[in-house]
Amino acid sequence: MPHPNGLPPMHNPDGTPVQSAKRKQVKNACTNCQKACKKCDDARPCPRCIKYGIADTCVNSVRKERKKGIKRGPYKRRQKSDGEKPTRKNTSGVADEQYMRNPAPMPAYGFPIGGQYPQPSDPTGYPYYYGKDQVNVQYPAMYNPSMYHPVLMQGENAHQPSHHAYPPSALPPHYGNMVQPHTSSPTSSHATPPTSSAAHHQHLSPEPKAEAMTPVPSASTSSGTSSSPAGSHPEEEPSSRLAQLASLSADALTSQDRHPSTPQH
DNA sequence: AATATCGGAACATAAACTAG
DNA sequence: TAGTTTATGTTCCGATATTT
């Protein structure tokens, strides 16, 4: 199947799918895609944001700096098999795979990376396959289609250092409070400070209902002890948890008896 | 049917480590 | 000090839930 846009075919001539390259990630997803856990693009605004009409809030997410000074134990050396030449980045399986990869990045779909593929002739828009979806990308005025790499946009959104650049009000309603970098979700059950992975699955979610829920005690007190009865931690004594649970249930029942009209959630 | 949510695997790479 | 190893942080697939 020839790729739309005249890109390399996604299938071999015999119909078998082209040996799928490893999943290629963009270096920096935009905040919107990041929060939605969806595929992004190097272009700004990215096709997904364009599709959803939130191009004006499509900005690179801010990456955390990696921790330094963490000591490690001694490394175990991998024994090399005979025929194997110890080339750079070749001894770990992961690296091996990585560096065996087709050096010319070939997008599985969509946007040509690095300018090696023909350009869409129409500078104002062209069909773009984003995952399974075809997106007819119309470039907004601020977007220069000749740029393949992250574009620093001029104006307010330029290098939005973090949290102030795009108020949620700039978003369509269905995005709710989606773009609120730094507002740690009150519902987050992560009492620990967000490591990236933790932060990741906080998902800084656009979910408005999240806002309505009971906040969890501040993460800064974290190191593992929450005072919330509901915030039972795995390390908490199981029997005491049971006791708490029983007592809570009893309370709930009795209070329901006393106030039968009180709506229960 | 379209869109949103989110768990978790895959990916990327900086930093610690080590052999030469 | 170049190359290797590993840990940390990010991206986004794909299953599921929710909304329209």
Side-chain angles (χ1 to χ4, degrees):
Chain A
M1 168 182 173
H3 197 290
N5 304 335
L7 298 182
M10 295 185 287
H11 290 79
N12 294 320
D14 63 3
T16 61
V18 166
Q19 189 60 271
S20 66
K22 287 181 72 173
R23 191 172 100 197
K24 182 71 180 164
Q25 299 180 171
V26 297
K27 279 202 168 38
N28 206 192
C30 74
T31 50
N32 297 333
C33 293
Q34 184 185 55
K35 284 167 193 116
C37 289
K38 294 298 177 190
K39 183 161 174 52
C40 195
D41 193 296
D42 283 333
R44 292 289 173 270
C46 72
R48 185 173 175 276
C49 288
I50 294 173
K51 177 181 175 182
Y52 290 104
I54 51 174
D56 52 336
T57 63
C58 181
V59 293
N60 284 336
S61 58
V62 178
R63 295 179 80 100
K64 240 180 115 179
E65 206 165 306
R66 182 181 289 247
K67 291 184 207 158
K68 286 183 187 174
I70 297 184
K71 293 295 171 194
R72 301 180 179 176
Y75 288 177
K76 37 183 164 210
R77 312 295 297 182
R78 290 163 187 264
Q79 70 277 30
K80 298 165 187 130
S81 58
D82 334 20
E84 194 179 336
K85 285 214 183 113
T87 56
R88 177 171 165 75
K89 297 283 184 184
N90 185 7
T91 53
S92 88
V94 172
D96 190 35
E97 280 271 315
Q98 284 176 359
Y99 287 82
M100 291 287 286
R101 192 189 303 145
N102 182 348
M106 180 176 298
Y109 38 75
F111 222 88
I113 298 168
Q116 54 189 312
Y117 300 114
Q119 284 310 288
S121 53
D122 178 2
T124 62
Y126 65 96
Y128 175 100
Y129 279 80
Y130 202 64
K132 293 166 204 144
D133 306 329
Q134 178 178 339
V135 183
N136 198 27
V137 175
Q138 297 294 324
Y139 299 111
M142 71 229 206
Y143 178 54
N144 176 354
S146 67
M147 298 182 175
Y148 302 76
H149 300 292
V151 178
L152 269 186
M153 294 186 295
Q154 296 183 351
E156 340 182 287
N157 284 345
H159 61 268
Q160 45 85 39
S162 46
H163 351 310
H164 324 299
Y166 35 92
S169 58
L171 288 176
H174 66 284
Y175 266 73
N177 59 347
M178 175 172 209
V179 182
Q180 292 186 33
H182 243 59
T183 54
S184 57
S185 159
T187 60
S188 166
S189 57
H190 301 288
T192 53
T195 67
S196 113
S197 337
H200 160 45
H201 276 126
Q202 232 168 291
H203 276 287
L204 299 169
S205 171
E207 179 68 314
K209 71 189 170 206
E211 298 281 73
M213 297 173 73
T214 317
V216 155
S218 156
S220 58
T221 59
S222 67
S223 54
T225 50
S226 161
S227 58
S228 159
S232 45
H233 284 264
E235 56 267 36
E236 196 174 345
E237 181 72 48
S239 56
S240 87
R241 289 173 58 192
L242 267 176
Q244 272 184 1
L245 195 57
S247 131
L248 279 171
S249 310
D251 285 354
L253 284 172
T254 52
S255 86
Q256 195 171 9
D257 286 343
R258 269 182 248 121
H259 314 288
S261 63
T262 308
Q264 297 292 315
H265 210 59

